[in-house]
Amino acid sequence: MRLRFPTKPAVPPLLAVFLMFLSHSAVGIRNIPVRITSVGVESGFDAAQFSEAPEYRNGKECASQSSNRENFVSSCDPSLVHVAMTLDSEYLRGSIAAVHSVLRHASCPENVFLHFVAAEFDPASPRVLSQLVRSTFPSLSFKVYVFREDAVINLISSSIRQALESPLNYARSYLGDILDPCVDRVIYLDSDVVVVDDITKLWSTRLTGSRAIGAPEYCHANFTKYFTSGFWSDPGLSGSFSGRKPCYFNTGVMVMDLVRWREGSYREKIETWMQIQKKRRIYELGSLPPFLLVFAGDVEAIDHRWNQHGLGGDNVRGSCRSLHKGPVSLLHWSGKGKPWVRLDEKRPCPLDHLWEPYDLYEHKIDRAKDQALLGFSSLSELTEDSSFL
């Protein structure tokens, strides 16, 4: 089915083409008033009000899931596509938009199972966050896990940006321990992404050999800048890359084989490097360098379209960035600037408008209704020729 809609004059022509695809009608969205406070979520209209997402259902071509009388879907169902994300009050708006984007473009949305990892001491409790997800996505199959921050708090070193020091930022290293043992494979996504393609395509990535993770690699990047001069001058440390050809990869989008992860004791290996960091100061960033130390040079390379990262700008100034050349399946606002913050402050970067169609925050309701008569072009049409990027 091919659908189209007109562009808005105020939007630059190049950006408008992409917005044609990303915008979507939102007829019949019901309003769910919510307020996050220090004690949880309360009904009200003065803060984080979200809309209920449209109901996304499977087509006839989808494999059906097994469910019990209460329509409960088990996370052990082999037909499921497992996606893991963190969930906290600070990045809640981004997480909701990310989930919305996954469901909107999934060929079999009911087969997507979300695993949310919530901090034990978040201002909004895991139970409250779970209620909020249920009210926003009534048909979503998901589970919320509590991440005990004391498991990692003593291993975290100061970083160039305080947000990178959050214990929840390290939860991806513990997925093998946190998720149900029957979950042997998962896609990890950061909260500042939107998926504009069928998540099943990423799920089908084959991890060859004994590789435990897959991610887009960037071998042209200056790998040495991710570690201090003291690290590179010490053969005992830098020698850890001996026999490998390490490339940079971003940990915000990963396909993870949790069976190999557990068998390889990779969580313990990451923790070992964090302990060395506490003593020697071998890097300046947060949770990324330990992953590079353990996995760089042994990562299944995934097409770059699955992580158009860096859209948040650098980690200090948060400057605007443009898209990389090539097709796009996932947009990632890694870096300091987040699209919802810049949009609210009315100082958005051009690409922040690509995040807007997935935002379910309440002030988007009128805009969504205005778009009810608009159509959208297929992603295959737009990305077949990447010259528009």
Side-chain angles (χ1 to χ4, degrees):
M1 179 173 64
R2 183 176 297 176
L3 303 170
R4 303 180 184 278
F5 67 78
T7 62
K8 297 180 181 179
V11 180
L14 192 63
L15 183 58
V17 174
F18 207 19
L19 282 169
M20 287 181 188
F21 164 69
L22 291 172
S23 297
H24 193 292
S25 66
V27 181
I29 293 181
R30 183 160 55 86
N31 198 27
I32 305 293
V34 178
R35 182 173 66 220
I36 297 181
T37 70
S38 59
V39 295
V41 176
E42 305 171 349
S43 50
F45 297 92
D46 59 349
Q49 186 176 354
F50 288 87
S51 304
E52 183 179 307
E55 191 173 27
Y56 298 103
R57 292 297 183 184
N58 282 357
K60 293 181 180 179
E61 71 282 1
C62 299
S64 60
Q65 329 129 295
S66 58
S67 57
N68 60 18
R69 294 178 182 177
E70 289 75 31
N71 202 34
F72 172 79
V73 176
S74 169
S75 63
C76 298
D77 188 328
S79 70
L80 296 173
V81 173
H82 295 277
V83 179
M85 298 179 62
T86 57
L87 192 65
D88 67 333
S89 54
E90 183 176 1
Y91 288 95
L92 178 63
R93 190 167 164 189
S95 299
I96 294 295
V99 174
H100 188 200
S101 72
V102 169
L103 297 177
R104 177 178 289 183
H105 298 291
S107 56
C108 300
E110 291 182 88
N111 288 8
V112 177
F113 194 104
L114 263 295
H115 301 267
F116 293 109
V117 181
E120 184 178 13
F121 301 113
D122 190 271
S125 71
R127 178 185 60 81
V128 160
L129 291 171
S130 180
Q131 293 171 346
L132 189 147
V133 171
R134 173 57 62 215
S135 67
T136 308
F137 302 102
S139 60
L140 177 66
S141 297
F142 72 94
K143 183 173 182 178
V144 176
Y145 305 78
V146 178
F147 180 57
R148 294 193 58 183
E149 296 168 284
D150 59 1
V152 71
I153 191 69
N154 292 328
L155 294 172
I156 297 175
S157 303
S158 60
S159 184
I160 60 174
R161 185 160 60 92
Q162 189 173 4
L164 299 177
E165 301 170 22
S166 167
L168 201 59
N169 203 40
Y170 293 80
R172 71 199 81 190
S173 303
Y174 294 84
L175 293 178
D177 304 285
I178 296 172
L179 303 192
D180 294 331
C182 64
V183 179
D184 55 15
R185 181 183 176 88
V186 71
I187 296 171
Y188 173 79
L189 297 178
D190 272 351
S191 297
D192 51 1
V193 309
V194 292
V195 177
V196 294
D197 201 348
D198 184 2
I199 195 71
T200 307
K201 296 177 183 177
L202 182 58
W203 179 252
S204 65
T205 299
R206 183 169 174 262
L207 302 182
T208 59
S210 60
R211 288 171 175 155
I213 67 171
E217 288 187 305
Y218 300 87
C219 295
H220 63 279
N222 182 5
F223 191 82
T224 61
K225 72 178 183 179
Y226 296 102
F227 302 95
T228 63
S229 57
F231 170 85
W232 293 112
S233 63
D234 186 335
L237 298 175
S238 59
S240 61
F241 290 120
S242 177
R244 291 191 274 166
K245 295 182 178 179
C247 296
Y248 167 82
F249 66 94
N250 181 280
T251 56
V253 180
M254 295 186 290
V255 178
M256 307 176 70
D257 185 319
L258 295 182
V259 175
R260 294 174 183 172
W261 180 279
R262 294 163 182 141
E263 291 175 347
S265 302
Y266 288 114
R267 185 259 297 167
E268 291 87 345
K269 292 176 181 178
I270 288 173
E271 287 181 335
T272 296
W273 281 112
M274 294 174 68
Q275 291 167 350
I276 293 173
Q277 162 74 354
K278 292 284 285 188
K279 299 176 181 178
R280 300 283 301 274
R281 193 68 181 177
I282 58 176
Y283 53 80
E284 300 298 337
L285 289 172
S287 61
L288 169 64
F291 265 85
L292 296 178
L293 286 160
V294 174
F295 291 107
D298 193 23
V299 174
E300 190 71 35
I302 296 176
D303 195 294
H304 289 178
R305 69 187 301 154
W306 285 104
N307 196 350
Q308 286 268 352
H309 69 283
L311 304 186
D314 63 71
N315 278 306
V316 179
R317 295 181 297 275
S319 54
C320 293
R321 297 282 181 87
S322 58
L323 288 174
H324 314 156
K325 292 182 179 179
V328 181
S329 291
L330 182 147
L331 298 155
H332 186 187
W333 277 263
S334 57
K336 182 179 180 181
K338 302 307 172 188
W340 56 91
V341 175
R342 295 193 294 218
L343 286 163
D344 285 356
E345 293 178 350
K346 301 189 184 305
R347 54 176 187 85
C349 291
L351 293 177
D352 293 345
H353 293 289
L354 303 181
W355 180 87
E356 278 190 284
Y358 306 100
D359 186 13
L360 292 173
Y361 191 64
E362 65 87 17
H363 70 240
K364 297 297 176 184
I365 294 173
D366 292 338
R367 179 193 57 77
K369 289 180 179 178
D370 290 341
Q371 293 177 346
L373 299 179
L374 299 179
F376 58 98
S377 300
S378 68
L379 180 62
S380 59
E381 284 184 13
L382 291 176
T383 58
E384 192 171 5
D385 178 4
S386 62
S387 60
F388 75 96
L389 296 175

